[in-house]
Amino acid sequence: MRYTVYGLVVLLIIIHQDNWLWDDKRLIWGFMPITLLYQAGISVAASIVWFLATKYAWPHHLEEVAKEAPAQETGETE
Amino acid sequence: MIQLVIIGIYLSLLLFLGVFSSRLFKGTSKDYMLASHSIGPFLLLMSIFGTTMTAFALVGSSGEAYKEGVGVYGMLASSSGIIHSLCFFLLGIKLWSWGYKYGYTTQIQFFRDRLESDRIGIILFPILVGLVIPYLLIGVMSSGVVISSITEGAFESSFADYDYGVPPWLGSLVISLVVLIYVFFGGMRGTAWANTFQTIVFMVLGVVTFVVISSKLGGLQAASHAVLEKNPSKLMRAVDPADRVRYAERYQTWTLVAKYNYARRILKTLKLTDAQKAEAYKEFKPRFPNWQTSAEAIYASENELYKLTNEQVNKALLTQDDRVMPDPFPDKWKQGLMAHHDLREYPRRANAEDEKAMLIFAENIGHPEHDLDPNDPSKGKKWTIKKALGVYRASSWAPDAPHPMSKLVFFTYFFVPLSVGMFPHLFQHWLTARSAATFKLPVVAHPLFIMIVWVPCVLVGIWATSATFEGAPLFPPHFPANAVLAAMVKKMTSPVLAGFLTAGILAAIMSSLDSQFLCLGTMFTEDMVVHYAGKDRFTDKQVVFMARMFIIIIVAITYGFSLLEPRRVFTLGVWCFSGFSSLFPIIFAAVYWKRLTKAGTYAGVIVAFGTWLYLFREAKFALNPDYTFLGMMPVATMVVVSAAAMILVSLVTSPPSKETLVRFFPED
């Protein structure tokens, strides 16, 4: 599933380049330019893909960091 | 004056918030710089979003849409929604975990450890500070301009040179001081709280403004249909044939005006009689102030009242468009006629419109509340200097040629938002997170928040191209794009809403400024003073004191630069983002590529800097806002070349020590 999520991110980047709408001036619902609606859809789709990423590709092991030990002092390294 | 009072109340609220959050200040440097890793998901989302959305979010989005059409959403906003969250997800969480574990506060501390190199800090510190300062400048300058334009006419007799409003230098100074005070007292905790408050303010007010403006324009459908009818190209990224025809007609009329003015003003071979003028005005439909010249020019041309050589025609076009006259005059332009694109090869004379507009419209300029003619109020009110400049540009300069959006530029704009991966102030915000899980909400909600802010602003921007208000077009040609939103709010809404919206715009600006100020203070103390003088040499209180002092110095320097009024500040902004993006391969490789070496990083940084400098020079130091390299955004070349240098040099130099690899890649 992790790789499916990565694939979806790549797909988002590809479909973001909507060459087929370049010269389309249609208004959807009488006011919304189709290009703007499509790109707003890309924003919603991005949010969904990132939600899937938090479900299926989340680095859970990093959540343990805060549980294992208190934070180091600023600028203090091992 | 109402606007000024609302802005004053808003700024006081912010100061209160900063001072209140300082009461929770634990007194340690870690609390001042990282809020003791205590920030939860909601505060992290709001503070990161507020930080990444600058003045560009409200003012720039509507201004760019006004200029370029709806395509700007895909180019600037939806691409950022994908890439910003990608950076939070791929870089933010990992860097947070190392920051938490190893005590980092700044990027440079991480790079020094990861690359086993002390000197990388000496190279990166000036580059990062140098790139943040223009970014700060955008905020400081925009805040002054916004306050100045919205308060026009607020004073009865003071500040006449600034249209009786708050001068930009004073607005910028007040905003800098307010941000300085709440960052000074509140540190990172105050910044996170103020960012959250301000992000809510600008999101809510953005939506309210959208609703009010759309209803004033007769509703959503009426507003968009006006664009479809008058400027269809703004609804897409190609040029509509109707716009091409309209432009050709307008350019033709403009060339007649240029020739007519040249014949009567420069050659002094033509002067219409009163009877001829009356005849000229009879058939003409006035659209903008100062329309009479166009009517006379058409009349003079139709009746062949003058004759010019090709050289004189070219000189007429250059003069009318306020272009620098080439000396010696090129032979080719003594024979052939210049097309519009030939004309644009010559730069506009700096401040030409200021001198001429002030001269031509001297009698009309005054307090915007006073009548133009005290004996006849029907003639309207006095003009502001800004209006006089606008009328001059609209009636003198050549109309803008419609142009399509390049597909390659649209695609390569994807490289610009990569800059968030290297923003030092964002790095610091990431480190404030309470845990890795805190990042989930920002990663998911960021693209949606961008959409909520940008879609209404883009619609308002395209509506502005075609809207009419009280029977006249809302904006004349060549209206400054970044002033569109403020002007629309001022003309179409009540003073109270205008005051609130200004507070919203200032909120967007200040929510970036605060993080940047704090980050520079942190970098100076942690990466330079404490690193080189030794941690034990100073108490924690002294470290906080030094950070605060450095912040004051940076604010003073930035404010000083803002007084120099560099033009094209937004274009400079894109160059500064491009600089950060060109360093993205380095942070990405440092997090994911074990084979990255110290030498490879040096090579990447030096090549990124060199390429940036070369392309910046080629773009005439941001004076050419449309500059592309190989048809692409210059940033694409910078990223590819710096990545290639980093990879090649890393592969031929010794890999990092085993200890470092175990420290950063224990799972392998």
Side-chain angles (χ1 to χ4, degrees):
Chain A
M1 194 61 189
R2 173 185 292 258
Y3 291 104
T4 310
V5 172
Y6 293 153
L8 287 173
V9 175
V10 174
L11 184 67
L12 267 182
I13 293 173
I14 294 169
I15 61 171
H16 171 267
Q17 184 75 19
D18 55 344
N19 288 356
W20 57 92
L21 291 175
W22 222 258
D23 55 358
D24 196 333
K25 60 182 176 187
R26 269 180 299 161
L27 292 174
I28 307 298
W29 307 314
F31 79 95
M32 188 69 165
I34 190 163
T35 307
L36 186 58
L37 183 66
Y38 178 85
Q39 290 292 340
I42 293 278
S43 296
V44 175
S47 201
I48 295 169
V49 169
W50 290 120
F51 174 74
L52 293 174
T54 62
K55 284 269 165 206
Y56 301 107
W58 194 252
H60 289 287
H61 62 285
L62 295 179
E63 287 186 19
E64 303 302 315
V65 171
K67 289 177 195 160
E68 282 166 9
Q72 283 289 313
E73 282 304 306
T74 304
E76 187 182 296
T77 55
E78 283 176 5
Chain B
M1 202 44 129
I2 294 174
Q3 292 97 315
L4 207 54
V5 172
I6 294 173
I7 295 169
I9 293 172
Y10 179 72
L11 295 180
S12 311
L13 264 175
L14 268 181
L15 289 177
F16 171 77
L17 198 68
V19 173
F20 176 73
S21 62
S22 77
R23 301 188 63 166
L24 300 173
F25 178 39
K26 294 176 183 170
T28 65
S29 59
K30 192 166 74 175
D31 196 63
Y32 188 74
M33 294 163 187
L34 298 178
S36 303
H37 301 292
S38 64
I39 300 297
F42 182 69
L43 277 186
L44 188 68
L45 163 69
M46 298 308 256
S47 53
I48 286 181
F49 182 68
T51 302
T52 50
M53 292 293 116
T54 56
F56 212 81
L58 293 175
V59 182
S61 56
S62 43
E64 283 297 304
Y66 173 78
K67 250 188 347 192
E68 307 291 339
V70 290
V72 298
Y73 183 87
M75 196 160 82
L76 303 165
S78 58
S79 57
S80 297
I82 301 169
I83 300 294
H84 287 183
S85 287
L86 183 77
C87 289
F88 305 160
F89 182 74
L90 291 180
L91 301 177
I93 306 167
K94 277 227 165 192
L95 290 169
W96 169 84
S97 72
W98 289 330
Y100 190 92
K101 222 164 142 183
Y102 304 134
Y104 303 136
T105 315
T106 69
Q107 279 168 322
I108 289 175
Q109 287 171 340
F110 161 69
F111 278 118
R112 277 181 169 144
D113 258 16
R114 168 68 182 84
L115 300 167
E116 305 164 327
S117 165
D118 191 59
R119 290 200 188 116
I120 190 73
I122 297 173
I123 295 185
L124 277 179
F125 183 80
I127 292 179
L128 294 176
V129 173
L131 286 172
V132 171
I133 286 183
Y135 196 171
L136 280 171
L137 257 180
I138 299 173
V140 170
M141 288 178 62
S142 312
S143 58
V145 171
V146 167
I147 294 179
S148 176
S149 37
I150 215 81
T151 55
E152 275 172 9
F155 302 100
E156 190 50 40
S157 54
S158 316
F159 305 126
D161 288 347
Y162 302 98
D163 290 330
Y164 301 90
V166 176
W169 60 264
L170 184 57
S172 294
L173 181 66
V174 171
I175 293 298
S176 300
L177 287 176
V178 169
V179 177
L180 178 68
I181 290 169
Y182 80 73
V183 171
F184 192 97
F185 288 111
M188 181 50 97
R189 197 184 304 277
T191 301
W193 283 29
N195 273 5
T196 302
F197 171 63
Q198 304 211 74
T199 306
I200 294 170
V201 167
F202 81 73
M203 287 179 78
V204 170
L205 290 174
V207 174
V208 170
T209 310
F210 172 75
V211 172
V212 173
I213 288 179
S214 64
S215 81
K216 291 272 177 187
L217 292 174
L220 299 171
Q221 297 195 344
S224 290
H225 272 278
V227 185
L228 188 61
E229 193 187 312
K230 296 176 190 165
N231 291 290
S233 303
K234 300 290 180 192
L235 300 173
M236 53 188 188
R237 283 158 287 179
V239 177
D240 191 85
D243 278 335
R244 225 182 276 280
V245 171
R246 258 191 291 260
Y247 157 74
E249 285 167 3
R250 283 180 196 154
Y251 186 73
Q252 174 65 20
T253 309
W254 178 81
T255 56
L256 295 181
V257 172
K259 288 189 273 188
Y260 170 68
N261 281 340
Y262 195 78
R264 70 187 179 117
R265 287 185 188 151
I266 310 286
L267 302 177
K268 299 190 192 298
T269 52
L270 177 63
K271 192 169 193 272
L272 295 193
T273 62
D274 287 345
Q276 286 173 317
K277 282 185 184 174
E279 188 69 22
Y281 302 156
K282 220 189 304 178
E283 297 295 314
F284 199 83
K285 283 184 196 156
R287 289 175 68 237
F288 293 111
N290 212 23
W291 54 272
Q292 290 87 342
T293 314
S294 301
E296 292 165 20
I298 293 169
Y299 178 84
S301 167
E302 281 174 354
N303 292 285
E304 296 178 2
L305 299 182
Y306 61 87
K307 195 158 175 58
L308 302 180
T309 63
N310 279 358
E311 182 181 348
Q312 286 170 328
V313 170
N314 291 333
K315 284 183 174 170
L317 300 181
L318 287 164
T319 308
Q320 183 70 27
D321 214 26
D322 286 326
R323 303 278 166 179
V324 173
M325 189 67 70
D327 184 23
F329 201 72
D331 283 338
K332 66 173 178 175
W333 299 131
K334 286 178 181 166
Q335 312 299 326
L337 277 175
M338 278 181 170
H340 194 176
H341 58 87
D342 299 317
L343 194 61
R344 285 199 300 262
E345 294 291 310
Y346 298 92
R348 275 219 168 88
R349 287 190 294 113
N351 304 326
E353 73 263 42
D354 300 62
E355 293 161 15
K356 290 190 179 174
M358 297 297 278
L359 200 69
I360 299 169
F361 303 117
E363 285 182 11
N364 293 6
I365 296 170
H367 195 291
E369 302 292 319
H370 295 174
D371 288 328
L372 210 48
D373 180 355
N375 301 320
D376 182 6
S378 69
K379 286 186 178 167
K381 302 287 182 192
K382 288 262 189 190
W383 294 8
T384 59
I385 296 170
K386 291 185 197 77
K387 180 170 176 176
L389 289 174
V391 172
Y392 174 78
R393 285 189 289 255
S395 55
S396 298
W397 290 356
D400 281 329
H403 56 276
M405 190 174 273
S406 152
K407 286 178 180 146
L408 201 52
V409 167
F410 183 85
F411 178 69
T412 51
Y413 220 93
F414 249 116
F415 287 92
V416 176
L418 284 177
S419 52
V420 301
M422 263 311 279
F423 280 165
H425 49 287
L426 208 60
F427 180 93
Q428 202 172 342
H429 267 296
W430 288 340
L431 294 190
T432 63
R434 193 185 297 149
S435 71
T438 310
F439 281 86
K440 285 183 179 175
L441 185 62
V443 164
V444 175
H446 193 80
L448 286 182
F449 272 36
I450 289 181
M451 184 186 75
I452 293 168
V453 172
W454 275 72
V455 168
C457 287
V458 167
L459 279 172
V460 166
I462 58 159
W463 290 343
T465 60
S466 315
T468 51
F469 188 60
E470 293 169 355
L474 200 56
F475 297 109
H478 302 294
F479 189 83
N482 289 324
V484 161
L485 184 66
M488 252 179 140
V489 166
K490 198 158 188 210
K491 278 187 186 175
M492 307 182 81
T493 67
S494 67
V496 175
L497 185 59
F500 278 118
L501 185 83
T502 313
I505 296 173
L506 294 177
I509 296 171
M510 289 189 284
S511 60
S512 303
L513 280 180
D514 51 12
S515 311
Q516 292 158 339
F517 284 150
L518 182 64
C519 150
L520 291 178
T522 307
M523 283 167 69
F524 173 71
T525 45
E526 291 293 322
D527 297 333
M528 294 289 125
V529 180
V530 173
H531 181 77
Y532 287 109
K535 175 118 181 117
D536 300 330
R537 185 150 169 204
F538 303 106
T539 65
D540 226 26
K541 274 193 172 173
Q542 284 174 319
V543 170
V544 173
F545 175 78
M546 281 186 290
R548 284 172 165 167
M549 288 306 116
F550 191 70
I551 292 170
I552 292 177
I553 294 169
I554 286 290
V555 173
I557 292 174
T558 311
Y559 178 70
F561 276 137
S562 79
L563 297 179
L564 301 175
E565 288 195 51
R567 282 161 190 263
R568 301 211 180 274
V569 71
F570 278 92
T571 315
L572 260 184
V574 173
W575 279 97
C576 129
F577 293 160
S578 302
F580 282 116
S581 297
S582 67
L583 298 172
F584 175 83
I586 287 149
I587 187 98
F588 187 78
V591 173
Y592 287 100
W593 192 38
K594 285 193 282 183
R595 194 63 183 73
L596 175 72
T597 67
K598 178 167 63 175
T601 309
Y602 284 134
V605 173
I606 292 166
V607 168
F609 182 67
T611 322
W612 183 89
L613 210 59
Y614 171 76
L615 294 171
F616 190 48
R617 192 172 147 262
E618 287 292 293
K620 299 189 173 110
F621 303 102
L623 280 175
N624 177 3
D626 304 317
Y627 176 75
T628 53
F629 184 70
L630 304 174
M632 301 182 288
M633 287 296 289
V635 62
T637 308
M638 295 178 207
V639 173
V640 171
V641 171
S642 77
M646 176 191 79
I647 293 168
L648 283 176
V649 177
S650 288
L651 289 175
V652 296
T653 47
S654 317
S657 71
K658 222 172 195 174
E659 292 76 43
T660 297
L661 292 179
V662 169
R663 194 171 155 88
F664 290 97
F665 303 97
E667 64 272 23
D668 302 320

